[in-house]
Amino acid sequence: MEEASGAQSVERAMHLLALVAERHHNGATLGELVRASGLKQPTVRRLLVALMRSGIASQDDETKRYHLGITAHLYGTIASDRFAAHTMADESVRRLAEQSEDTAFFCLRQGLHTLCMRREEGLHPIRSHVLNTGQRHPLGVAAHGIAILASLEDREIDAVIAAHSEYYESHYPMLTEPVLRQAIAETRRRGCAINRGIFHTGAWAIAVAVRDHTGRVLGALSIGATEGRLAESRQPEIITMLKSETRKLESRFAAVSMKFSSDSLYASVRPSLAKSEKP
């Protein structure tokens, strides 16, 4: 019983840390973390104090907002030599932002979820602000989530949808199963996912799945912008950009496969479909 309670505390603390990471740039208030986590305020505060004692989280003395701490930076630096291959996406994301003048992203598959690893803004004054670095979403949410989901085998798709059905209903009521199934079919047909403002009115995005040298999906490159910027007349140009950068990125992944095996690259993102994960 004590062991189960301890494991639950660790899981809650890690979920809370992920919420802090999503809001790292501006910092997270206690109220925001309470609402986002669904935990009671005393529990959130107790876990935050524990995270701060370890240095993984910190609190700004003036604003009282919570941020990632110095220990989080140190741990990330130590781990970077094993997972550095994902930083190769930086070049592709920057180039996509420069070429399109819109906002470009690289999102990593993380089990039944996606994690936004890189975001680069283009020069166009009207930008997409619905996805930020560090944000985690269930597979199927946003263009990158649809692109990744559509790249899986049918049985995996069924398992993902079943695992997230309650979450979709409560957090994304517009993402009904027929809508998602239709988006998956279109993505497979076109070779890219197009989010036509499903989740946020006027916020469109196009994404292409990125695979390793074995053909296993690792994540997705995407470009987000307003509806006018991603209208049908401009879509072929954007899709060409994304597919070109995807091929380059996949070639870079393949080139380092001798040093970083596919299992090493994919160790943190291998799905566990036997157990439903809560976002």
Side-chain angles (χ1 to χ4, degrees), residues 1-12:
M1 189 70 176
E2 182 178 345
E3 183 179 347
S5 178
Q8 184 184 55
S9 293
V10 172
E11 290 174 354
R12 286 176 170 179

Side-chain angles (χ1 to χ4, degrees), residues 57-215:
S58 64
Q59 185 179 32
D60 188 283
D61 291 335
E62 293 184 4
T63 66
K64 303 302 180 184
R65 290 176 175 266
Y66 296 92
H67 301 261
L68 293 177
I70 184 63
T71 304
H73 170 70
L74 293 174
Y75 287 168
T77 301
I78 292 169
S80 65
D81 64 339
R82 185 179 182 194
F83 300 104
H86 293 308
T87 65
M88 289 187 291
D90 290 358
E91 183 180 342
S92 289
V93 173
R94 283 195 298 269
R95 196 153 45 220
L96 285 170
E98 290 172 0
Q99 293 174 353
S100 68
E101 297 189 347
D102 295 306
T103 308
F105 308 89
F106 174 69
C107 295
L108 184 69
R109 182 185 177 191
Q110 194 177 47
L112 304 184
H113 297 77
T114 62
L115 181 67
C116 181
M117 301 292 289
R118 298 289 182 267
R119 170 194 166 111
E120 187 76 23
E121 294 184 348
L123 294 176
H124 195 271
I126 302 177
R127 299 169 180 172
S128 173
H129 293 285
V130 297
L131 180 63
N132 295 305
T133 302
Q135 284 189 318
R136 186 170 180 258
H137 292 295
L139 282 173
V141 173
H144 64 272
I146 295 171
I148 295 171
L149 186 59
S151 300
L152 305 180
E153 295 180 0
D154 289 344
R155 62 177 182 82
E156 291 184 275
I157 292 174
D158 293 342
V160 169
I161 293 175
H164 290 313
S165 59
E166 292 183 6
Y167 191 82
Y168 292 154
E169 185 177 355
S170 61
H171 290 73
Y172 301 97
M174 72 294 288
L175 190 64
T176 62
E177 184 167 343
V179 168
L180 183 54
R181 295 280 185 183
Q182 183 178 351
I184 291 170
E186 181 190 18
T187 299
R188 286 178 163 181
R189 186 172 63 252
R190 301 187 63 160
C192 66
I194 302 179
N195 168 24
R196 300 176 179 84
I198 296 174
F199 307 96
H200 301 276
T201 303
W204 286 35
I206 302 177
V208 174
V210 177
R211 300 174 182 271
D212 67 10
H213 68 285
T214 70

Side-chain angles (χ1 to χ4, degrees), residues 25-42:
H25 183 69
N26 294 319
T29 66
L30 181 61
E32 287 172 343
L33 294 175
V34 169
R35 288 190 294 273
S37 67
L39 301 173
K40 294 181 179 179
Q41 182 168 318

